Amino acid sequence: MPRSLSHGARIDYDTVAAGYDSQPYRQKEVDAALLAYLERIPAHKWPLLRVLDISCGTGNQLVADKAAITGPSWVGSDLFYGMLAQAQAKDKNISWVQADACGMPFVCNSFDFISQQFGFHHIGPRSMMLREVYRLLRPGGCFVMTNIAPQEMRQALLYRYFPEALDVDLSDFVSPDTLVAMMKDAGFSAVELSLDRRVSQVDLQDFLKKVQPRDNNSTLMIISDMAYADGVARMKRDIGRGVGLHVPTETCILTLSGEKND
Ligand SMILES: C[S@@+](CC[C@H](N)C(=O)[O-])C[C@H]1O[C@@H](n2cnc3c(N)ncnc32)[C@H](O)[C@@H]1O
């Protein structure tokens, strides 16, 4: 199973890289946290800044940032070559570097702003990654992590149809409170956590398209074949029975930031 990949990764992203961007929700707007960081820096100093996106995947965040912001140098790193190949095809003037987030080939104090989006649950020794990010930040620099918080979204449609997925995610996603403690242990100051909870209604037919093919969602690739088949069959039965247009679901997006003292 994917959990036994030799490099310890949760799933093999080389196998999904080519289709990763097919879902519209993979596209990115310019990073609001980066804009907020830049507001604190005089614009004439922006060309001295270095921005790193860890677990950058197919590069969408950095490509959106670079199109909107002139000045900084941009670096994206990811463990999987297939993801970086997709990124490289979008912009050859961004440095795309293959590296495990727990040990990156950069000298100490080399980045002003580091982000990681929807990647932390894939990392092996997580406290090691946080210490590595702290090492790479310049004094005064800022790290911002974004992810879902499964602990706060147990009524999500995904988990109602695939209960095994909730078990997997609760074990792979560190709880928000623990994350804050881990950031402080790694040396970060001004640690801030925000949770953005949203309840919405979705069309079950559209939701079915999100879970098929299965590799649209990394957690669905980890649960048992039986649990996946059972969830899809129940969803199809419900659609057949006319359940469907306004089905409630919930999400919770976690944003965690911290700074390295001057
Ligand atoms: C859900 S994707 C997120 C990609 C991108 N940040 C985004 O928001 O679309 C998770 C990413 O983590 C990467 N990844 C997995 N294990 C990693 C590791 N040990 N070090 C760095 N990146 C890793 C995967 O290759 C994948 O690109």
mmCIF file with all atom_site columns, all heavy atoms in Angstrom, residues 89-113:
data_model
loop_
_atom_site.group_PDB
_atom_site.id
_atom_site.type_symbol
_atom_site.label_atom_id
_atom_site.label_alt_id
_atom_site.label_comp_id
_atom_site.label_asym_id
_atom_site.label_entity_id
_atom_site.label_seq_id
_atom_site.pdbx_PDB_ins_code
_atom_site.Cartn_x
_atom_site.Cartn_y
_atom_site.Cartn_z
_atom_site.occupancy
_atom_site.B_iso_or_equiv
_atom_site.pdbx_formal_charge
_atom_site.auth_seq_id
_atom_site.auth_comp_id
_atom_site.auth_asym_id
_atom_site.auth_atom_id
_atom_site.pdbx_PDB_model_num
ATOM 1   N N   . ALA A 1 89  ? 6.899  23.280 -16.314 1.00 0.00 ? 89  ALA A N   1
ATOM 2   C CA  . ALA A 1 89  ? 6.304  23.585 -17.631 1.00 0.00 ? 89  ALA A CA  1
ATOM 3   C C   . ALA A 1 89  ? 5.533  24.903 -17.587 1.00 0.00 ? 89  ALA A C   1
ATOM 4   O O   . ALA A 1 89  ? 5.314  25.544 -18.617 1.00 0.00 ? 89  ALA A O   1
ATOM 5   C CB  . ALA A 1 89  ? 5.380  22.441 -18.047 1.00 0.00 ? 89  ALA A CB  1
ATOM 6   N N   . LYS A 1 90  ? 5.124  25.327 -16.382 1.00 0.00 ? 90  LYS A N   1
ATOM 7   C CA  . LYS A 1 90  ? 4.352  26.584 -16.271 1.00 0.00 ? 90  LYS A CA  1
ATOM 8   C C   . LYS A 1 90  ? 5.248  27.803 -16.196 1.00 0.00 ? 90  LYS A C   1
ATOM 9   O O   . LYS A 1 90  ? 4.880  28.871 -16.687 1.00 0.00 ? 90  LYS A O   1
ATOM 10  C CB  . LYS A 1 90  ? 3.472  26.555 -15.003 1.00 0.00 ? 90  LYS A CB  1
ATOM 11  C CG  . LYS A 1 90  ? 2.361  25.532 -15.088 1.00 0.00 ? 90  LYS A CG  1
ATOM 12  C CD  . LYS A 1 90  ? 1.628  25.412 -13.765 1.00 0.00 ? 90  LYS A CD  1
ATOM 13  C CE  . LYS A 1 90  ? 0.724  24.190 -13.809 1.00 0.00 ? 90  LYS A CE  1
ATOM 14  N NZ  . LYS A 1 90  ? 0.254  23.788 -12.512 1.00 0.00 ? 90  LYS A NZ  1
ATOM 15  N N   . ASP A 1 91  ? 6.404  27.667 -15.540 1.00 0.00 ? 91  ASP A N   1
ATOM 16  C CA  . ASP A 1 91  ? 7.284  28.834 -15.397 1.00 0.00 ? 91  ASP A CA  1
ATOM 17  C C   . ASP A 1 91  ? 8.720  28.374 -15.146 1.00 0.00 ? 91  ASP A C   1
ATOM 18  O O   . ASP A 1 91  ? 9.022  27.825 -14.077 1.00 0.00 ? 91  ASP A O   1
ATOM 19  C CB  . ASP A 1 91  ? 6.799  29.718 -14.238 1.00 0.00 ? 91  ASP A CB  1
ATOM 20  C CG  . ASP A 1 91  ? 7.485  31.080 -14.260 1.00 0.00 ? 91  ASP A CG  1
ATOM 21  O OD1 . ASP A 1 91  ? 8.678  31.148 -14.649 1.00 0.00 ? 91  ASP A OD1 1
ATOM 22  O OD2 . ASP A 1 91  ? 6.825  32.073 -13.908 1.00 0.00 ? 91  ASP A OD2 1
ATOM 23  N N   . LYS A 1 92  ? 9.556  28.643 -16.128 1.00 0.00 ? 92  LYS A N   1
ATOM 24  C CA  . LYS A 1 92  ? 10.958 28.204 -16.007 1.00 0.00 ? 92  LYS A CA  1
ATOM 25  C C   . LYS A 1 92  ? 11.802 29.211 -15.238 1.00 0.00 ? 92  LYS A C   1
ATOM 26  O O   . LYS A 1 92  ? 12.966 28.957 -14.943 1.00 0.00 ? 92  LYS A O   1
ATOM 27  C CB  . LYS A 1 92  ? 11.546 27.966 -17.402 1.00 0.00 ? 92  LYS A CB  1
ATOM 28  C CG  . LYS A 1 92  ? 10.883 26.793 -18.112 1.00 0.00 ? 92  LYS A CG  1
ATOM 29  C CD  . LYS A 1 92  ? 11.539 26.451 -19.423 1.00 0.00 ? 92  LYS A CD  1
ATOM 30  C CE  . LYS A 1 92  ? 10.970 25.160 -20.016 1.00 0.00 ? 92  LYS A CE  1
ATOM 31  N NZ  . LYS A 1 92  ? 9.518  24.979 -19.918 1.00 0.00 ? 92  LYS A NZ  1
ATOM 32  N N   . ASN A 1 93  ? 11.247 30.370 -14.907 1.00 0.00 ? 93  ASN A N   1
ATOM 33  C CA  . ASN A 1 93  ? 12.008 31.375 -14.157 1.00 0.00 ? 93  ASN A CA  1
ATOM 34  C C   . ASN A 1 93  ? 11.790 31.288 -12.652 1.00 0.00 ? 93  ASN A C   1
ATOM 35  O O   . ASN A 1 93  ? 12.274 32.126 -11.900 1.00 0.00 ? 93  ASN A O   1
ATOM 36  C CB  . ASN A 1 93  ? 11.670 32.777 -14.660 1.00 0.00 ? 93  ASN A CB  1
ATOM 37  C CG  . ASN A 1 93  ? 12.153 32.947 -16.090 1.00 0.00 ? 93  ASN A CG  1
ATOM 38  O OD1 . ASN A 1 93  ? 13.259 32.535 -16.419 1.00 0.00 ? 93  ASN A OD1 1
ATOM 39  N ND2 . ASN A 1 93  ? 11.301 33.507 -16.942 1.00 0.00 ? 93  ASN A ND2 1
ATOM 40  N N   . ILE A 1 94  ? 11.039 30.292 -12.245 1.00 0.00 ? 94  ILE A N   1
ATOM 41  C CA  . ILE A 1 94  ? 10.953 29.965 -10.814 1.00 0.00 ? 94  ILE A CA  1
ATOM 42  C C   . ILE A 1 94  ? 11.888 28.775 -10.601 1.00 0.00 ? 94  ILE A C   1
ATOM 43  O O   . ILE A 1 94  ? 11.970 27.892 -11.459 1.00 0.00 ? 94  ILE A O   1
ATOM 44  C CB  . ILE A 1 94  ? 9.506  29.595 -10.425 1.00 0.00 ? 94  ILE A CB  1
ATOM 45  C CG1 . ILE A 1 94  ? 8.592  30.824 -10.581 1.00 0.00 ? 94  ILE A CG1 1
ATOM 46  C CG2 . ILE A 1 94  ? 9.432  29.033 -9.015  1.00 0.00 ? 94  ILE A CG2 1
ATOM 47  C CD1 . ILE A 1 94  ? 7.103  30.551 -10.371 1.00 0.00 ? 94  ILE A CD1 1
ATOM 48  N N   . SER A 1 95  ? 12.632 28.756 -9.471  1.00 0.00 ? 95  SER A N   1
ATOM 49  C CA  . SER A 1 95  ? 13.514 27.610 -9.194  1.00 0.00 ? 95  SER A CA  1
ATOM 50  C C   . SER A 1 95  ? 12.686 26.494 -8.579  1.00 0.00 ? 95  SER A C   1
ATOM 51  O O   . SER A 1 95  ? 12.088 26.685 -7.510  1.00 0.00 ? 95  SER A O   1
ATOM 52  C CB  . SER A 1 95  ? 14.611 28.003 -8.203  1.00 0.00 ? 95  SER A CB  1
ATOM 53  O OG  . SER A 1 95  ? 15.387 29.033 -8.735  1.00 0.00 ? 95  SER A OG  1
ATOM 54  N N   . TRP A 1 96  ? 12.637 25.364 -9.229  1.00 0.00 ? 96  TRP A N   1
ATOM 55  C CA  . TRP A 1 96  ? 11.889 24.208 -8.715  1.00 0.00 ? 96  TRP A CA  1
ATOM 56  C C   . TRP A 1 96  ? 12.903 23.191 -8.214  1.00 0.00 ? 96  TRP A C   1
ATOM 57  O O   . TRP A 1 96  ? 13.760 22.746 -8.982  1.00 0.00 ? 96  TRP A O   1
ATOM 58  C CB  . TRP A 1 96  ? 11.014 23.602 -9.820  1.00 0.00 ? 96  TRP A CB  1
ATOM 59  C CG  . TRP A 1 96  ? 10.088 24.598 -10.453 1.00 0.00 ? 96  TRP A CG  1
ATOM 60  C CD1 . TRP A 1 96  ? 10.189 25.131 -11.701 1.00 0.00 ? 96  TRP A CD1 1
ATOM 61  C CD2 . TRP A 1 96  ? 8.909  25.191 -9.875  1.00 0.00 ? 96  TRP A CD2 1
ATOM 62  N NE1 . TRP A 1 96  ? 9.158  26.008 -11.946 1.00 0.00 ? 96  TRP A NE1 1
ATOM 63  C CE2 . TRP A 1 96  ? 8.354  26.071 -10.833 1.00 0.00 ? 96  TRP A CE2 1
ATOM 64  C CE3 . TRP A 1 96  ? 8.270  25.073 -8.637  1.00 0.00 ? 96  TRP A CE3 1
ATOM 65  C CZ2 . TRP A 1 96  ? 7.197  26.824 -10.606 1.00 0.00 ? 96  TRP A CZ2 1
ATOM 66  C CZ3 . TRP A 1 96  ? 7.121  25.817 -8.404  1.00 0.00 ? 96  TRP A CZ3 1
ATOM 67  C CH2 . TRP A 1 96  ? 6.601  26.673 -9.377  1.00 0.00 ? 96  TRP A CH2 1
ATOM 68  N N   . VAL A 1 97  ? 12.826 22.834 -6.951  1.00 0.00 ? 97  VAL A N   1
ATOM 69  C CA  . VAL A 1 97  ? 13.870 22.033 -6.316  1.00 0.00 ? 97  VAL A CA  1
ATOM 70  C C   . VAL A 1 97  ? 13.253 20.770 -5.707  1.00 0.00 ? 97  VAL A C   1
ATOM 71  O O   . VAL A 1 97  ? 12.314 20.866 -4.900  1.00 0.00 ? 97  VAL A O   1
ATOM 72  C CB  . VAL A 1 97  ? 14.562 22.851 -5.204  1.00 0.00 ? 97  VAL A CB  1
ATOM 73  C CG1 . VAL A 1 97  ? 15.623 22.022 -4.494  1.00 0.00 ? 97  VAL A CG1 1
ATOM 74  C CG2 . VAL A 1 97  ? 15.181 24.124 -5.784  1.00 0.00 ? 97  VAL A CG2 1
ATOM 75  N N   . GLN A 1 98  ? 13.791 19.615 -6.083  1.00 0.00 ? 98  GLN A N   1
ATOM 76  C CA  . GLN A 1 98  ? 13.258 18.377 -5.505  1.00 0.00 ? 98  GLN A CA  1
ATOM 77  C C   . GLN A 1 98  ? 13.898 18.130 -4.140  1.00 0.00 ? 98  GLN A C   1
ATOM 78  O O   . GLN A 1 98  ? 15.136 18.031 -4.040  1.00 0.00 ? 98  GLN A O   1
ATOM 79  C CB  . GLN A 1 98  ? 13.550 17.198 -6.442  1.00 0.00 ? 98  GLN A CB  1
ATOM 80  C CG  . GLN A 1 98  ? 12.833 15.934 -5.993  1.00 0.00 ? 98  GLN A CG  1
ATOM 81  C CD  . GLN A 1 98  ? 12.973 14.784 -6.976  1.00 0.00 ? 98  GLN A CD  1
ATOM 82  O OE1 . GLN A 1 98  ? 13.824 14.819 -7.858  1.00 0.00 ? 98  GLN A OE1 1
ATOM 83  N NE2 . GLN A 1 98  ? 12.137 13.776 -6.806  1.00 0.00 ? 98  GLN A NE2 1
ATOM 84  N N   . ALA A 1 99  ? 13.085 18.080 -3.101  1.00 0.00 ? 99  ALA A N   1
ATOM 85  C CA  . ALA A 1 99  ? 13.635 17.895 -1.754  1.00 0.00 ? 99  ALA A CA  1
ATOM 86  C C   . ALA A 1 99  ? 12.548 17.430 -0.793  1.00 0.00 ? 99  ALA A C   1
ATOM 87  O O   . ALA A 1 99  ? 11.385 17.828 -0.909  1.00 0.00 ? 99  ALA A O   1
ATOM 88  C CB  . ALA A 1 99  ? 14.210 19.221 -1.234  1.00 0.00 ? 99  ALA A CB  1
ATOM 89  N N   . ASP A 1 100 ? 12.949 16.599 0.164   1.00 0.00 ? 100 ASP A N   1
ATOM 90  C CA  . ASP A 1 100 ? 12.080 16.257 1.279   1.00 0.00 ? 100 ASP A CA  1
ATOM 91  C C   . ASP A 1 100 ? 12.004 17.476 2.203   1.00 0.00 ? 100 ASP A C   1
ATOM 92  O O   . ASP A 1 100 ? 13.039 18.102 2.490   1.00 0.00 ? 100 ASP A O   1
ATOM 93  C CB  . ASP A 1 100 ? 12.691 15.059 2.033   1.00 0.00 ? 100 ASP A CB  1
ATOM 94  C CG  . ASP A 1 100 ? 11.757 14.499 3.090   1.00 0.00 ? 100 ASP A CG  1
ATOM 95  O OD1 . ASP A 1 100 ? 11.093 15.295 3.798   1.00 0.00 ? 100 ASP A OD1 1
ATOM 96  O OD2 . ASP A 1 100 ? 11.690 13.271 3.228   1.00 0.00 ? 100 ASP A OD2 1
ATOM 97  N N   . ALA A 1 101 ? 10.819 17.806 2.657   1.00 0.00 ? 101 ALA A N   1
ATOM 98  C CA  . ALA A 1 101 ? 10.646 19.002 3.489   1.00 0.00 ? 101 ALA A CA  1
ATOM 99  C C   . ALA A 1 101 ? 11.396 18.898 4.817   1.00 0.00 ? 101 ALA A C   1
ATOM 100 O O   . ALA A 1 101 ? 11.583 19.908 5.496   1.00 0.00 ? 101 ALA A O   1
ATOM 101 C CB  . ALA A 1 101 ? 9.154  19.234 3.752   1.00 0.00 ? 101 ALA A CB  1
ATOM 102 N N   . CYS A 1 102 ? 11.825 17.698 5.197   1.00 0.00 ? 102 CYS A N   1
ATOM 103 C CA  . CYS A 1 102 ? 12.551 17.560 6.469   1.00 0.00 ? 102 CYS A CA  1
ATOM 104 C C   . CYS A 1 102 ? 14.041 17.840 6.319   1.00 0.00 ? 102 CYS A C   1
ATOM 105 O O   . CYS A 1 102 ? 14.759 17.899 7.334   1.00 0.00 ? 102 CYS A O   1
ATOM 106 C CB  . CYS A 1 102 ? 12.363 16.152 7.027   1.00 0.00 ? 102 CYS A CB  1
ATOM 107 S SG  . CYS A 1 102 ? 10.687 15.877 7.547   1.00 0.00 ? 102 CYS A SG  1
ATOM 108 N N   . GLY A 1 103 ? 14.520 17.980 5.090   1.00 0.00 ? 103 GLY A N   1
ATOM 109 C CA  . GLY A 1 103 ? 15.948 18.245 4.891   1.00 0.00 ? 103 GLY A CA  1
ATOM 110 C C   . GLY A 1 103 ? 16.132 18.898 3.538   1.00 0.00 ? 103 GLY A C   1
ATOM 111 O O   . GLY A 1 103 ? 16.246 18.223 2.533   1.00 0.00 ? 103 GLY A O   1
ATOM 112 N N   . MET A 1 104 ? 16.119 20.210 3.521   1.00 0.00 ? 104 MET A N   1
ATOM 113 C CA  . MET A 1 104 ? 16.145 20.912 2.232   1.00 0.00 ? 104 MET A CA  1
ATOM 114 C C   . MET A 1 104 ? 17.536 21.467 1.939   1.00 0.00 ? 104 MET A C   1
ATOM 115 O O   . MET A 1 104 ? 18.240 21.905 2.855   1.00 0.00 ? 104 MET A O   1
ATOM 116 C CB  . MET A 1 104 ? 15.071 22.001 2.225   1.00 0.00 ? 104 MET A CB  1
ATOM 117 C CG  . MET A 1 104 ? 13.675 21.380 2.147   1.00 0.00 ? 104 MET A CG  1
ATOM 118 S SD  . MET A 1 104 ? 12.347 22.584 2.198   1.00 0.00 ? 104 MET A SD  1
ATOM 119 C CE  . MET A 1 104 ? 12.171 22.806 3.953   1.00 0.00 ? 104 MET A CE  1
ATOM 120 N N   . PRO A 1 105 ? 17.930 21.450 0.666   1.00 0.00 ? 105 PRO A N   1
ATOM 121 C CA  . PRO A 1 105 ? 19.309 21.782 0.297   1.00 0.00 ? 105 PRO A CA  1
ATOM 122 C C   . PRO A 1 105 ? 19.546 23.292 0.184   1.00 0.00 ? 105 PRO A C   1
ATOM 123 O O   . PRO A 1 105 ? 19.984 23.782 -0.857  1.00 0.00 ? 105 PRO A O   1
ATOM 124 C CB  . PRO A 1 105 ? 19.453 21.095 -1.071  1.00 0.00 ? 105 PRO A CB  1
ATOM 125 C CG  . PRO A 1 105 ? 18.086 21.174 -1.657  1.00 0.00 ? 105 PRO A CG  1
ATOM 126 C CD  . PRO A 1 105 ? 17.122 21.055 -0.502  1.00 0.00 ? 105 PRO A CD  1
ATOM 127 N N   . PHE A 1 106 ? 19.234 24.013 1.244   1.00 0.00 ? 106 PHE A N   1
ATOM 128 C CA  . PHE A 1 106 ? 19.437 25.471 1.247   1.00 0.00 ? 106 PHE A CA  1
ATOM 129 C C   . PHE A 1 106 ? 20.220 25.836 2.513   1.00 0.00 ? 106 PHE A C   1
ATOM 130 O O   . PHE A 1 106 ? 20.070 25.182 3.547   1.00 0.00 ? 106 PHE A O   1
ATOM 131 C CB  . PHE A 1 106 ? 18.090 26.210 1.265   1.00 0.00 ? 106 PHE A CB  1
ATOM 132 C CG  . PHE A 1 106 ? 17.132 25.781 0.177   1.00 0.00 ? 106 PHE A CG  1
ATOM 133 C CD1 . PHE A 1 106 ? 15.959 25.112 0.495   1.00 0.00 ? 106 PHE A CD1 1
ATOM 134 C CD2 . PHE A 1 106 ? 17.412 26.032 -1.167  1.00 0.00 ? 106 PHE A CD2 1
ATOM 135 C CE1 . PHE A 1 106 ? 15.070 24.705 -0.500  1.00 0.00 ? 106 PHE A CE1 1
ATOM 136 C CE2 . PHE A 1 106 ? 16.531 25.630 -2.167  1.00 0.00 ? 106 PHE A CE2 1
ATOM 137 C CZ  . PHE A 1 106 ? 15.365 24.960 -1.830  1.00 0.00 ? 106 PHE A CZ  1
ATOM 138 N N   . VAL A 1 107 ? 20.994 26.912 2.407   1.00 0.00 ? 107 VAL A N   1
ATOM 139 C CA  . VAL A 1 107 ? 21.773 27.329 3.579   1.00 0.00 ? 107 VAL A CA  1
ATOM 140 C C   . VAL A 1 107 ? 20.837 27.990 4.609   1.00 0.00 ? 107 VAL A C   1
ATOM 141 O O   . VAL A 1 107 ? 19.724 28.423 4.271   1.00 0.00 ? 107 VAL A O   1
ATOM 142 C CB  . VAL A 1 107 ? 22.921 28.295 3.199   1.00 0.00 ? 107 VAL A CB  1
ATOM 143 C CG1 . VAL A 1 107 ? 23.943 27.588 2.332   1.00 0.00 ? 107 VAL A CG1 1
ATOM 144 C CG2 . VAL A 1 107 ? 22.392 29.539 2.527   1.00 0.00 ? 107 VAL A CG2 1
ATOM 145 N N   . CYS A 1 108 ? 21.324 28.081 5.833   1.00 0.00 ? 108 CYS A N   1
ATOM 146 C CA  . CYS A 1 108 ? 20.540 28.708 6.915   1.00 0.00 ? 108 CYS A CA  1
ATOM 147 C C   . CYS A 1 108 ? 20.195 30.152 6.539   1.00 0.00 ? 108 CYS A C   1
ATOM 148 O O   . CYS A 1 108 ? 20.944 30.800 5.800   1.00 0.00 ? 108 CYS A O   1
ATOM 149 C CB  . CYS A 1 108 ? 21.346 28.741 8.209   1.00 0.00 ? 108 CYS A CB  1
ATOM 150 S SG  . CYS A 1 108 ? 21.784 27.126 8.812   1.00 0.00 ? 108 CYS A SG  1
ATOM 151 N N   . ASN A 1 109 ? 19.107 30.644 7.065   1.00 0.00 ? 109 ASN A N   1
ATOM 152 C CA  . ASN A 1 109 ? 18.716 32.063 6.930   1.00 0.00 ? 109 ASN A CA  1
ATOM 153 C C   . ASN A 1 109 ? 18.603 32.500 5.475   1.00 0.00 ? 109 ASN A C   1
ATOM 154 O O   . ASN A 1 109 ? 19.091 33.576 5.108   1.00 0.00 ? 109 ASN A O   1
ATOM 155 C CB  . ASN A 1 109 ? 19.733 32.981 7.639   1.00 0.00 ? 109 ASN A CB  1
ATOM 156 C CG  . ASN A 1 109 ? 19.926 32.608 9.094   1.00 0.00 ? 109 ASN A CG  1
ATOM 157 O OD1 . ASN A 1 109 ? 19.055 31.988 9.700   1.00 0.00 ? 109 ASN A OD1 1
ATOM 158 N ND2 . ASN A 1 109 ? 21.055 32.962 9.655   1.00 0.00 ? 109 ASN A ND2 1
ATOM 159 N N   . SER A 1 110 ? 18.015 31.664 4.623   1.00 0.00 ? 110 SER A N   1
ATOM 160 C CA  . SER A 1 110 ? 18.030 32.028 3.200   1.00 0.00 ? 110 SER A CA  1
ATOM 161 C C   . SER A 1 110 ? 16.670 32.438 2.635   1.00 0.00 ? 110 SER A C   1
ATOM 162 O O   . SER A 1 110 ? 16.584 32.776 1.461   1.00 0.00 ? 110 SER A O   1
ATOM 163 C CB  . SER A 1 110 ? 18.637 30.903 2.358   1.00 0.00 ? 110 SER A CB  1
ATOM 164 O OG  . SER A 1 110 ? 18.070 29.685 2.662   1.00 0.00 ? 110 SER A OG  1
ATOM 165 N N   . PHE A 1 111 ? 15.605 32.432 3.448   1.00 0.00 ? 111 PHE A N   1
ATOM 166 C CA  . PHE A 1 111 ? 14.291 32.839 2.918   1.00 0.00 ? 111 PHE A CA  1
ATOM 167 C C   . PHE A 1 111 ? 13.596 33.811 3.875   1.00 0.00 ? 111 PHE A C   1
ATOM 168 O O   . PHE A 1 111 ? 13.723 33.696 5.100   1.00 0.00 ? 111 PHE A O   1
ATOM 169 C CB  . PHE A 1 111 ? 13.397 31.618 2.690   1.00 0.00 ? 111 PHE A CB  1
ATOM 170 C CG  . PHE A 1 111 ? 13.906 30.719 1.592   1.00 0.00 ? 111 PHE A CG  1
ATOM 171 C CD1 . PHE A 1 111 ? 14.674 29.607 1.896   1.00 0.00 ? 111 PHE A CD1 1
ATOM 172 C CD2 . PHE A 1 111 ? 13.661 31.015 0.257   1.00 0.00 ? 111 PHE A CD2 1
ATOM 173 C CE1 . PHE A 1 111 ? 15.176 28.798 0.883   1.00 0.00 ? 111 PHE A CE1 1
ATOM 174 C CE2 . PHE A 1 111 ? 14.153 30.218 -0.757  1.00 0.00 ? 111 PHE A CE2 1
ATOM 175 C CZ  . PHE A 1 111 ? 14.918 29.102 -0.440  1.00 0.00 ? 111 PHE A CZ  1
ATOM 176 N N   . ASP A 1 112 ? 12.848 34.745 3.284   1.00 0.00 ? 112 ASP A N   1
ATOM 177 C CA  . ASP A 1 112 ? 12.103 35.735 4.079   1.00 0.00 ? 112 ASP A CA  1
ATOM 178 C C   . ASP A 1 112 ? 10.690 35.274 4.371   1.00 0.00 ? 112 ASP A C   1
ATOM 179 O O   . ASP A 1 112 ? 10.120 35.601 5.409   1.00 0.00 ? 112 ASP A O   1
ATOM 180 C CB  . ASP A 1 112 ? 12.052 37.058 3.305   1.00 0.00 ? 112 ASP A CB  1
ATOM 181 C CG  . ASP A 1 112 ? 13.448 37.557 3.041   1.00 0.00 ? 112 ASP A CG  1
ATOM 182 O OD1 . ASP A 1 112 ? 14.022 38.207 3.932   1.00 0.00 ? 112 ASP A OD1 1
ATOM 183 O OD2 . ASP A 1 112 ? 13.991 37.258 1.956   1.00 0.00 ? 112 ASP A OD2 1
ATOM 184 N N   . PHE A 1 113 ? 10.103 34.559 3.413   1.00 0.00 ? 113 PHE A N   1
ATOM 185 C CA  . PHE A 1 113 ? 8.714  34.109 3.572   1.00 0.00 ? 113 PHE A CA  1
ATOM 186 C C   . PHE A 1 113 ? 8.659  32.664 3.085   1.00 0.00 ? 113 PHE A C   1
ATOM 187 O O   . PHE A 1 113 ? 9.099  32.356 1.966   1.00 0.00 ? 113 PHE A O   1
ATOM 188 C CB  . PHE A 1 113 ? 7.765  34.992 2.747   1.00 0.00 ? 113 PHE A CB  1
ATOM 189 C CG  . PHE A 1 113 ? 6.318  34.612 2.886   1.00 0.00 ? 113 PHE A CG  1
ATOM 190 C CD1 . PHE A 1 113 ? 5.520  35.182 3.875   1.00 0.00 ? 113 PHE A CD1 1
ATOM 191 C CD2 . PHE A 1 113 ? 5.746  33.683 2.027   1.00 0.00 ? 113 PHE A CD2 1
ATOM 192 C CE1 . PHE A 1 113 ? 4.183  34.821 4.011   1.00 0.00 ? 113 PHE A CE1 1
ATOM 193 C CE2 . PHE A 1 113 ? 4.409  33.322 2.148   1.00 0.00 ? 113 PHE A CE2 1
ATOM 194 C CZ  . PHE A 1 113 ? 3.620  33.894 3.140   1.00 0.00 ? 113 PHE A CZ  1
#
